[in-house]
Amino acid sequence: MQSPKTPSLRRERIGLLVLCASAAVAMSPAVGGGARDRSTALATELAERGVAAAAGDVVWVDPPRGGLRPFGVAARAVVRGARGVRAGGERGEPTDLYLVDARLSPEGVLLDVSAIHNLTETSGADESKPVLRGEALAYVSRPLIEAASPTVHVLELDGQALSGGAEWSLVERLQHAVTSWQATGRLRGIGRRTFAIDLARSEESGAEDPHAEDPGAEEPRSRRGPDASDVAVALEDDSAVVVRAGSREARLPVRGVDDAALPAWIRAEASEVARPGNLVTWAVDRVRLVIGDAAMQTVKAVAFTALDFVLRNKEAVTGDTGAEDIASDLGQSELDRPVRQIPIDPEIGWPPARLDPWVTPPLPGEGQWNPQGGDAFVRQLDGLPPAFMTTFLRTDRSRKATRVYIALWDPRQVELHMMAGTVEPKGATGEAGPGLIPRTPEVMKRVVAASNAGFQAMHGEFGMMADGVMYLPPKPYAATVAVRRDGSTVFGSWSEDETVPEWMLSFRQNMTVMVEDEKWNPFGRTWWGGTPPGWADKTHTVRTGICLTRERFVAYFYGADVSPEALAQAMIQARCSYGIALDMNAGHSGLEFYRVAPSGELPPLGRPLQGEWETEGDVSGLSGYRFRGRRLIRGMGLMNFPRYIRREARDFFYMTLRHLLPGPPLAPRAAPAVAGEGAWRTQGLPQHGFPYALAITEIRPDPARPDVRLRVLKVDPRTVAAAPLGEPGASPPAGAGATVAVFSDGAAAPGAGQGEGSSIWHSAGSFSASPTSPVRGAVRIATGALGSARAVAALGVNDEDGMLIYVERAGAGPSSAPAPALAPDASAPPPAPVDPHPRDARLLQDFLAGLGCSSRIYLPRPLSVALGGDTDLAGAAVHPPSGPRAVRLTRAEAPGAGRMFESTPIVPHSVWYPLQQKRVRYFKKPKKEETAGGDH
């Protein structure tokens, strides 16, 4: 029989056990050198683990909790510390923020540190001591490198919301959870918002200082703009952050930030999380974090070498030439018989001559260019040949089944852009990129393709800047592709001077140049990413590259199962003057074509999509738009598809079609239509190069008056330079291009009843309308009225493409009339104004508005126009206009592609290798005037 005291005894025994356990915890030796202050103890413990931190830089997220807790209580702390300690106790690297999982006794004594996670890992910035409010944490990253912006970060320690992740699969959610656990020790991860501070704009003022001193005088520190040390952050609560930079202050919501709501001196990093990569490539990255990058490189090198041995012997036994696999990659059952290649247009030099095969005998179509454009997947500019061409080459004579696919584009038609991913490359101050092609109709409907870029930052920290935002600084002698501010694509090896030129908008680097002037590996590199350093790199895998050809076209290379030498040989066969190796391995590399249009406007496909390499869908983030996409080849394995049309974790290139003449034809309005009416003509005009500078047409815009014709002239502002004509008959100044056209409005002001006046100006490759000069150095083209009453001619600037459009009524005093305005004597009087039909003024207004010109001026008399200086719009020979109001347009070099940094020498391995091995982590060098001992 059980005693009635048994339950009481049990409670007493349990209580005694708890008391003893608590006493044992209380008497157990604390970590951190026995310090009773938990912050000091934690700093001591971290120092033993290689992180130097001060007790004052410890912020406890969870306070101690009293009561009988026999095994202590879990507590989190965020610590500002630095890896590595120099002699004398000085910290070695810039500071980072570490999330520490610890255990405290009921009295708050540090008992144990179970995990340490680096939350920032910035390569070139010092983090400030964080401020904490609830589960929200905020801090400032102050850059230690030139051109980088300070950044403000807000962390949500209670987890990361998967905004935009509603369409994620279960596998993708599991991938994200594992990635978060590896990075933070939490399956939900940590939410993060980043705000970059533009110090140059943070002190801009809307009015000039009336007490401003001589601009050449040195400005006292109290009146200079803010620097990174002036940026501070505070948390009002867990939903609002206050950012201060000098005298500016902004209060921002932690969640739901919209870039449009931000002040001009702050830009916000996108909060949407990019989807994880393919399961295989994602798993490789996860294992890499466990075993280390060197071990992973060894594993891959061994695996690729073994696979190469198997395939090489298989080809030797079977005699495989690769024809069957190539046909499958191209979506064919067998390689098509070769057909006649599109002939080279002598006026524009496109497409180029076919490529000479390296492996013989060649396969059908090998080296022959196939046009990509004007179909359901790739858009083509109106009136121009397709901007993309593709082909394939086999460039390994010992393995004839390996092949390289080439996508070539005309950079005069196609503009290259660079986009930093949401994870790679991580900026020196922790700022990541948007990872998304800008979601505006102007950009999206001109997107035509996108591809991978270079290696991850861990594999060399090669430099990147995108749209003026520096993520990683340039490395000396690194192979570089860059974008000028005018949109040109340029290639070259960076010099030892790490200064970024003012003309550069974006750049991406990767290793040293692979092919220069059609020669392989001038810098003598032995490692191309496929093996551990020091190993001979003979591995065969997916490799990609980009190059500038001898003809100044740009090519992308996708090598399926090739060695570095085979990729380089493809560049040599493609006549590359500068070739760069890009990213490698299946799943990380590829190119996709896109066609984007408003819903319902994509051209019909006429067959089902081939899902393994074709797709169609809505454009996320841009309501009412759809896209259709296709891979470069069908066999582009392990790639998330479509990849670059969505938000992407890794940096990439994307390409858009430029605005070029002639453009789409104008739709006839009067019946019956006349042959050629509304079609733009570029042939026979003084273009003096490509892209075209001029296009002309005629059209009858009024169905009620089919006898009324308008002559229309379009001018591309990016292809011309403007200057006053000067003396009658004067030649263009030295260095100027050939004459494209001469204009004169023959009047100093709007005519009677024309109302307020305005002018059309040309400057820096653009036209604009303004009553006064918009910028210093702008050249006035013509002056007219803002009202259309009594107008017989008009000028407008197209809102979307910036083209100048001049329109005049044919027969209403055209520019070909032998009037004094065309006489060489500048003192001759202008022609008398033409008496217009009452409906002409409205006709001109509606016509230009229908062409998308919101900036317009109206003229009481036609312009005097001499195309090439001697021909009017009707094709008749004329004297060029002269006088003080005459303006000459001469040919200018339009955006395209070329070389840069051509003076950078080829140096030996002993020079470039140590420079490229230096990591970004370093402290800011003292300025010259601050260095003791003066100049050295």
Side-chain angles (χ1 to χ4, degrees):
M1 180 175 178
Q2 191 177 32
S3 168
K5 294 183 179 180
T6 299
S8 177
L9 288 173
R10 287 179 177 172
R11 285 194 295 270
E12 290 174 3
R13 289 171 182 169
I14 292 172
L16 182 60
L17 288 173
V18 171
L19 180 61
C20 292
S22 300
V25 168
M27 292 184 293
S28 63
V31 298
R36 303 299 293 176
D37 175 67
R38 64 181 183 276
S39 295
T40 302
L42 181 56
T44 303
E45 177 67 16
L46 291 177
E48 294 181 2
R49 303 190 185 199
V51 178
D57 286 333
V58 177
V59 176
W60 289 94
V61 181
D62 304 308
R65 300 167 193 163
L68 295 176
R69 297 177 182 268
F71 302 105
V73 62
R76 297 166 296 168
V78 178
V79 183
R80 179 178 182 260
R83 286 279 182 186
V85 180
R86 295 175 178 170
E90 181 184 0
R91 60 186 173 87
E93 294 186 353
T95 54
D96 285 317
L97 295 185
Y98 296 85
L99 177 63
V100 180
D101 292 319
R103 189 165 54 93
L104 302 178
S105 73
E107 294 79 17
V109 177
L110 181 65
L111 300 176
D112 183 36
V113 172
S114 59
I116 305 171
H117 298 278
N118 192 330
L119 295 179
T120 54
E121 290 188 299
T122 49
S123 57
D126 261 326
E127 270 69 56
S128 69
K129 180 179 178 180
V131 294
L132 180 71
R133 185 67 70 98
E135 292 289 321
L137 188 86
Y139 63 94
V140 179
S141 288
R142 298 187 172 96
L144 302 176
I145 63 174
E146 298 294 334
S149 298
T151 51
V152 170
H153 304 260
V154 182
L155 306 184
E156 299 174 61
L157 300 178
D158 55 353
Q160 181 181 43
L162 282 181
S163 57
E167 299 179 358
W168 286 30
S169 68
L170 177 60
V171 172
E172 288 173 329
R173 291 177 179 275
L174 290 174
Q175 288 177 260
H176 178 73
V178 173
T179 302
S180 299
W181 178 80
Q182 280 192 308
T184 67
R186 288 140 184 84
L187 291 174
R188 291 195 61 198
I190 291 177
R192 188 184 303 268
R193 289 311 312 269
T194 300
F195 305 92
I197 312 303
D198 189 342
L199 294 175
R201 303 185 67 175
S202 63
E203 285 296 298
E204 288 180 354
S205 172
E208 294 185 2
D209 182 359
H211 305 291
E213 300 175 4
D214 179 3
E218 184 175 355
E219 197 174 4
R221 176 68 186 89
S222 60
R223 294 187 56 196
R224 292 176 188 168
D227 58 26
S229 63
D230 296 318
V231 179
V233 64
L235 286 170
E236 289 189 351
D237 49 47
D238 62 357
S239 64
V241 59
V242 178
V243 179
R244 300 183 181 91
S247 62
R248 292 288 182 95
E249 179 176 302
R251 184 180 185 277
L252 308 172
V254 173
R255 301 173 183 86
V257 173
D258 183 358
D259 283 35
L262 297 176
W265 51 280
I266 296 179
R267 62 179 181 270
E269 183 182 301
S271 61
E272 181 183 349
V273 180
R275 293 183 182 221
N278 170 272
L279 190 59
V280 174
T281 57
W282 169 86
V284 169
D285 287 337
R286 304 284 65 77
V287 174
R288 190 198 311 273
L289 290 178
V290 176
I291 68 175
D293 185 55
M296 177 55 70
Q297 293 281 35
T298 301
V299 170
K300 291 197 299 183
V302 171
F304 287 141
T305 301
L307 180 62
D308 176 52
F309 175 80
V310 172
L311 294 178
R312 185 182 300 272
N313 284 277
K314 176 187 173 184
E315 291 174 18
V317 172
T318 64
D320 184 12
T321 63
E324 184 176 338
D325 289 338
I326 294 171
S328 176
D329 284 343
L330 299 178
Q332 303 169 7
S333 57
E334 60 181 18
L335 288 176
D336 293 335
R337 296 177 60 85
V339 296
R340 183 171 180 268
Q341 180 173 299
I342 296 177
I344 300 173
D345 186 328
E347 188 171 30
I348 67 177
W350 174 262
R354 64 173 299 159
L355 306 182
D356 293 329
W358 178 249
V359 174
T360 55
L363 295 177
E366 187 169 5
Q368 179 174 301
W369 295 114
N370 301 297
Q372 303 292 327
D375 59 15
F377 290 93
V378 186
R379 183 182 165 190
Q380 179 178 345
L381 290 174
D382 291 281
L384 296 176
F388 279 82
M389 300 284 166
T390 59
T391 191
F392 70 92
L393 287 173
R394 295 169 302 150
T395 54
D396 188 339
R397 288 171 175 166
S398 66
R399 286 195 55 192
K400 295 184 178 182
T402 64
R403 60 272 185 197
V404 178
Y405 298 96
I406 306 173
L408 183 79
W409 63 88
D410 183 350
R412 299 166 299 178
Q413 296 191 58
V414 178
E415 183 173 358
L416 179 73
H417 307 264
M418 300 179 187
M419 177 57 62
T422 60
V423 177
E424 281 286 338
K426 190 174 185 178
T429 61
E431 181 181 9
L436 192 70
I437 299 173
R439 281 337 198 223
T440 64
E442 295 76 19
V443 172
M444 289 304 303
K445 66 185 181 182
R446 303 191 75 80
V447 168
V448 67
S451 76
N452 63 280
F455 288 169
Q456 296 183 75
M458 71 172 70
H459 298 140
E461 281 187 348
F462 293 103
M464 181 179 187
M465 182 172 76
D467 295 327
V469 178
M470 178 73 75
Y471 295 97
L472 289 171
K475 289 208 165 188
Y477 301 106
T480 309
V481 55
V483 179
R484 299 180 64 97
R485 293 189 181 275
D486 69 354
S488 294
T489 306
V490 286
F491 294 75
S493 297
W494 209 281
S495 68
E496 287 197 37
D497 182 359
E498 298 176 11
T499 304
V500 178
E502 286 294 325
W503 51 260
M504 190 174 289
L505 178 66
S506 304
F507 71 85
R508 184 62 162 98
Q509 297 183 313
N510 211 50
M511 299 188 288
T512 48
V513 60
M514 176 171 268
V515 169
E516 185 166 9
D517 296 327
E518 302 179 36
K519 294 180 177 61
W520 146 253
N521 194 15
F523 282 88
R525 171 177 288 274
T526 58
W527 180 82
W528 295 97
T531 59
W535 287 35
D537 194 348
K538 300 293 183 181
T539 56
H540 283 65
T541 183
V542 169
R543 298 177 186 270
T544 64
I546 189 172
C547 94
L548 175 73
T549 71
R550 184 196 309 164
E551 301 93 339
R552 292 197 170 188
F553 302 133
V554 180
Y556 170 88
F557 298 81
Y558 181 91
D561 193 27
V562 297
S563 65
E565 290 84 354
L567 177 62
Q569 190 63 51
M571 294 182 177
I572 293 171
Q573 297 304 111
R575 303 185 288 272
C576 291
S577 69
Y578 196 93
I580 304 172
L582 296 177
D583 209 355
M584 58 187 294
N585 296 330
H588 296 314
S589 308
L591 181 143
E592 298 172 358
F593 291 112
Y594 302 118
R595 184 159 187 162
V596 183
S599 298
E601 295 186 17
L602 284 173
L605 183 59
R607 59 171 175 81
L609 288 166
Q610 299 176 19
E612 65 270 27
W613 69 322
E614 297 174 350
T615 188
E616 184 175 328
D618 293 328
V619 177
S620 62
L622 187 61
S623 179
Y625 275 76
R626 288 183 62 80
F627 76 93
R628 190 176 288 145
R630 185 184 68 208
R631 290 171 168 172
L632 171 62
I633 60 170
R634 186 201 301 261
M636 201 166 280
L638 303 183
M639 283 277 286
N640 280 345
F641 177 66
R643 183 169 186 174
Y644 306 110
I645 199 74
R646 297 172 174 167
R647 197 175 297 275
E648 170 61 20
R650 299 179 67 161
D651 64 298
F652 61 93
F653 300 144
Y654 69 96
M655 288 71 91
T656 59
L657 292 175
R658 299 185 189 273
H659 295 287
L660 298 184
L661 294 176
L666 304 181
R669 302 180 187 179
V674 177
E677 183 179 5
W680 295 102
R681 179 170 67 87
T682 57
Q683 303 301 312
L685 301 180
Q687 309 288 1
H688 305 298
F690 181 81
Y692 299 128
L694 304 171
I696 60 174
T697 191
E698 290 193 3
I699 192 167
R700 295 170 298 156
D702 190 348
R705 295 189 296 160
D707 58 324
V708 174
R709 290 182 298 112
L710 296 182
R711 291 195 183 102
V712 190
L713 168 70
K714 278 203 298 188
V715 183
D716 186 343
R718 295 158 287 267
T719 62
V720 296
L725 182 62
E727 296 297 324
S731 300
T739 298
V740 172
V742 180
F743 291 151
S744 177
D745 58 11
Q754 294 293 297
E756 185 178 357
S758 187
S759 297
I760 299 294
W761 306 81
H762 183 272
S763 63
S766 65
F767 288 112
S768 60
S770 174
T772 59
S773 177
V775 295
R776 180 178 298 178
V779 176
R780 187 198 64 83
I781 303 299
T783 298
L786 295 178
S788 61
R790 300 184 59 80
V792 297
L795 283 159
V797 179
N798 186 270
D799 298 340
E800 182 175 347
D801 58 27
M803 302 289 182
L804 177 68
I805 301 178
Y806 169 68
V807 55
E808 66 180 25
R809 181 179 170 184
S815 56
S816 60
L822 296 181
D825 183 3
S827 62
V834 176
D835 187 21
H837 189 283
R839 296 172 59 178
D840 285 353
R842 182 69 183 184
L843 185 68
L844 294 172
Q845 177 179 321
D846 292 345
F847 181 76
L848 284 179
L851 294 183
C853 301
S854 60
S855 298
R856 306 182 291 269
I857 64 170
Y858 300 93
L859 309 174
R861 57 181 60 82
L863 284 180
S864 295
V865 179
L867 303 180
D870 58 12
T871 306
D872 70 0
L873 295 184
V878 293
H879 292 294
S882 60
R885 302 182 67 80
V887 175
R888 186 199 309 268
L889 300 182
T890 55
R891 180 72 196 199
E893 185 175 359
R899 294 284 294 269
M900 65 176 178
F901 303 150
E902 293 187 81
S903 62
T904 301
I906 304 296
V907 296
H909 183 276
S910 59
V911 174
W912 65 261
Y913 182 76
L915 293 173
Q916 291 197 358
Q917 285 298 103
K918 290 181 180 179
R919 293 294 175 166
V920 173
R921 284 186 174 273
Y922 63 89
F923 292 98
K924 186 180 290 183
K925 298 175 183 177
K927 293 183 179 179
K928 213 169 191 179
E929 60 269 25
E930 298 172 346
T931 305
D935 295 337
H936 297 282

